[in-house]
Amino acid sequence: MKKNRLIATAGVALAASIALTGCSFDAGATTSDADTPTVINQIGWGGTTWTQNFNLFSPTGVAVTPGTAYVYEPLIRMNRVSAGEIMPHLATEWGFNEDGTELTFTLRDDVTWADGEPFTAADVAFTWNLVLAGETPQAYPFTSVEATDEHTVTVTYDKQSFADLASFATRQIVPEHIWSEQNVREWTNPEPIGTGPAVLDKFSPQQISFTLRDDYWGGESAGVETLNMHAVTGDARMSQLISGQMDFGTFGWSNADEEFIAKDPENNLYGFYPTGTSDGLIFNTEVAPYDDPHVRRALRAALDLQIGAEIAAVGYDVPTQAGVSDVVYADQLAEGTEQKQDVDAALAELEDGGWSVEDGKLVKDGESFELRYDVYQPYEEWVRTGTIMADQWRENLGLDVAINQMADAPFTEASSTGQFGMLSGSPIFGSTPYVAYSSMTALAYKPIGEAAVYNQGRWQNAEFDAVVAELGAIAPGSDAARAAELSAQAQQIMADEAPFIATATAGWKAVANQTRWTGFPVPGEDDYAPNPTLPADAILTIMNLEPRG
């Protein structure tokens, strides 16, 4: 693993990080001499043109310009290869009171804004009070925030809120001395000043250029002096990475092995960085025949999901039966929950449940059921995977499963209100084990017909709810052994009950031409992710890239 260059707290090294690239205003790959690059070119996102709006709190519908994650920083960050682990960033320490209603952060004392002004707890309190006062579209679950001294800030909740800690990894801080003079609801913040290393140098609707500070609290970069982003979309992204016009992008590339890596195996990188959770098929557990666990387990056991992963060819792995990554959750996995095809077990499940297959339909007690899998049409890999699954169900169980491709609006309505039998989606998701599992508890349950954001399969299990509740009552970092045990118990229940079939690990994708820059993270090993929208991760990325010698 690469050595880290940025310091999080005294004596604690922050993780090395992956690079971001864009497009140059001039030649595209400016160098300080003939051999050493200083500019990195990143493919941007958010369309073919941008407006100069770096206001993090812009009203809904107003696009924020890409790049704010290089400018504005959070107090903490997440370890991307260890589920639920919190790491320091602008804060060095944090802790809840015993009942989980007060959270106190201790801040670094060596941080300055890009204009030289000191960063203090007053900036943190000001930022979060903007939200609490209703000046922004955001909403936070705490009721008050107070800077108790220059480097200490305390947040107060009206109930136990241990689970909210991870959310601070995306709550970026803005400078009070600048923002307090503006109407935040209307201001576009054209010249952003943050604690991060990036300072806006030039802006055009299709190109953005940042220079990196030499007085950044985390130290100087390993080589990058200028970060350029270019509004490149579609197939042009691939061609410009292949040619070397662009250094780095974050998008999925089907068949990248043949179309990109094979062209230059030494320099071309396509990486998939798991978030910890998964995408897959969600059963509506209140609709027959999917209300029977025998049917759900049979449909799961009949599948060889690795075939789907290989054919989709966008880089994901197959998660466990509980829908978690065996990399990110490695220290808390339930035993025996790996996904594996077992057609004999699938047939036995149907027999044990009193089911038979006749003319491609499931039959029980004289009633037959035609099976249909509703798939989100805009996601090509979901459609492709669904077709592979239907082929396997036909071959292994004799079942005919119709693949119904749905456009955005009808799919959203069906998934929300429970008007489906089997549906593609994200069974569980969240940045910590508790948050991920909570998305499947009674806390998220809504009857069919009412809008559900989570637990769209309407699964209910009292034992699972109790395990997750106990997990949520453990203060972060206070009893890791018990938390891991409870996490594994929750996974085992989901694996046994099969409320979903987790087909693919969720994650971020990165494509890099390493002709000029090296130091990209190893998926599943380095504790940062190559996502330029994630505060802290984006900064660690750009600061730790090294010019190829």
Side-chain angles (χ1 to χ4, degrees):
M1 187 176 295
K2 295 177 293 299
K3 298 299 182 182
N4 301 324
R5 297 176 182 276
L6 300 182
I7 302 302
T9 63
V12 180
L14 283 179
S17 160
I18 173 171
L20 307 163
T21 70
C23 178
S24 171
F25 281 79
D26 300 312
T30 304
T31 59
S32 57
D33 55 49
D35 300 315
T36 307
T38 60
V39 175
I40 187 163
N41 295 322
Q42 176 189 359
I43 294 173
W45 61 94
T48 57
T49 59
W50 300 313
T51 56
Q52 192 167 353
N53 175 29
F54 293 95
N55 182 349
L56 297 173
F57 303 123
S58 281
T60 301
V62 179
V64 178
T65 310
T68 57
Y70 300 117
V71 177
Y72 297 109
E73 299 182 284
L75 300 191
I76 58 174
R77 68 183 184 94
M78 303 300 298
N79 184 334
R80 304 300 175 186
V81 294
S82 181
E85 182 181 347
I86 310 295
M87 304 183 74
H89 199 66
L90 290 179
T92 60
E93 298 177 357
W94 52 87
F96 279 95
N97 64 354
E98 186 174 350
D99 63 5
T101 58
E102 284 189 359
L103 172 60
T104 299
F105 291 96
T106 301
L107 309 182
R108 297 182 63 97
D109 60 7
D110 58 351
V111 179
T112 62
W113 298 97
D115 61 3
E117 291 293 316
F119 163 75
T120 71
D123 296 303
V124 179
F126 168 79
T127 302
W128 295 341
N129 276 320
L130 282 176
V131 177
L132 296 182
E135 295 297 315
T136 79
Q138 286 77 9
Y140 292 161
F142 45 87
T143 57
S144 67
V145 56
E146 180 184 3
T148 56
D149 63 39
E150 190 173 7
H151 297 110
T152 307
V153 62
T154 298
V155 171
T156 301
Y157 301 85
D158 59 9
K159 60 182 179 180
Q160 188 261 86
S161 297
F162 295 139
D164 190 49
L165 176 59
S167 298
F168 288 93
T170 58
R171 292 171 183 161
Q172 295 153 282
I173 310 303
V174 300
E176 179 182 21
H177 67 281
I178 295 175
W179 285 60
S180 62
E181 300 176 357
Q182 306 296 332
N183 181 341
V184 176
R185 299 186 183 206
E186 300 177 358
W187 185 46
T188 59
N189 189 23
E191 302 290 337
I193 298 295
T195 56
V199 178
L200 182 67
D201 182 38
K202 300 175 185 177
F203 178 89
S204 78
Q206 292 186 314
Q207 300 181 24
I208 306 171
S209 179
F210 294 100
T211 58
L212 301 190
R213 300 164 54 186
D214 58 11
D215 63 344
Y216 176 55
W217 64 266
E220 295 186 11
S221 77
V224 175
E225 296 178 6
T226 301
L227 164 65
N228 290 330
M229 292 192 293
H230 194 165
V232 182
T233 60
D235 290 344
R237 299 173 300 177
M238 289 80 153
S239 63
Q240 292 190 24
L241 277 164
I242 291 171
S243 68
Q245 291 173 265
M246 295 294 108
D247 296 307
F248 177 73
T250 51
F251 57 89
W253 188 336
S254 297
N255 204 26
D257 283 347
E258 293 183 13
E259 296 178 3
F260 183 60
I261 296 175
K263 293 181 182 297
D264 188 352
E266 182 179 351
N267 292 315
N268 291 351
L269 166 73
Y270 180 72
F272 187 90
Y273 301 79
T275 64
T277 54
S278 60
D279 297 325
L281 179 154
I282 300 170
F283 292 113
N284 190 331
T285 60
E286 293 190 341
V287 172
Y290 313 109
D291 56 348
D292 186 342
H294 290 292
V295 171
R296 302 195 299 263
R297 289 192 292 265
L299 291 172
R300 183 182 65 192
L303 297 174
D304 182 347
L305 295 173
Q306 190 60 46
I307 291 177
E310 292 170 358
I311 293 177
V314 293
Y316 67 74
D317 293 320
V318 175
T320 71
Q321 293 175 340
V324 300
S325 163
D326 60 5
V327 173
V328 179
Y329 280 70
D331 62 348
Q332 51 193 281
L333 279 181
E335 295 183 5
T337 58
E338 67 275 9
Q339 301 260 25
K340 55 185 177 182
Q341 185 182 46
D342 189 337
V343 177
D344 289 341
L347 294 171
E349 285 284 0
L350 292 179
E351 183 178 355
D352 290 347
W355 295 91
S356 62
V357 177
E358 301 176 15
D359 297 324
K361 302 174 185 177
L362 271 179
V363 178
K364 182 176 181 178
D365 298 332
E367 187 174 5
S368 65
F369 298 87
E370 295 184 357
L371 305 189
R372 189 183 78 187
Y373 181 23
D374 295 328
V375 182
Y376 187 57
Q377 185 274 332
Y379 286 1
E380 179 185 350
E381 60 202 67
W382 285 10
V383 175
R384 193 179 310 164
T385 301
T387 302
I388 294 168
M389 294 162 67
D391 290 342
Q392 293 186 24
W393 285 323
R394 183 181 302 109
E395 178 180 351
N396 297 325
L397 300 179
L399 286 170
D400 292 329
V401 179
I403 301 300
N404 178 39
Q405 299 185 39
M406 301 181 71
D408 183 78
F411 179 89
T412 300
E413 175 68 16
S415 61
S416 173
T417 60
Q419 306 302 318
F420 66 89
M422 296 188 291
L423 182 94
S424 64
S426 300
I428 64 170
F429 46 91
S431 56
T432 68
Y434 171 75
V435 173
Y437 306 149
S438 292
S439 66
M440 292 293 292
T441 65
L443 296 173
Y445 174 81
K446 297 289 183 182
I448 291 177
E450 295 185 18
V453 177
Y454 309 110
N455 195 8
Q456 294 172 332
R458 275 71 181 175
W459 181 60
Q460 298 184 77
N461 185 287
E463 180 186 4
F464 178 80
D465 288 355
V467 169
V468 175
E470 183 180 348
L471 178 62
I474 297 176
S478 64
D479 192 346
R482 180 57 178 163
E485 181 182 352
L486 291 167
S487 179
Q489 288 180 22
Q491 293 170 41
Q492 189 64 62
I493 295 169
M494 288 191 290
D496 291 344
E497 288 291 304
F500 51 76
I501 301 175
T503 61
T505 49
W508 300 291
K509 307 172 186 76
V511 193
N513 183 324
Q514 301 179 98
T515 303
R516 287 184 291 270
W517 295 98
T518 64
F520 291 84
V522 179
E525 293 186 14
D526 292 316
D527 60 17
Y528 53 91
N531 187 324
T533 67
L534 294 174
D537 292 63
I539 289 170
L540 290 170
T541 292
I542 202 66
M543 296 295 285
N544 286 285
L545 280 184
E546 298 181 352
R548 182 176 288 277

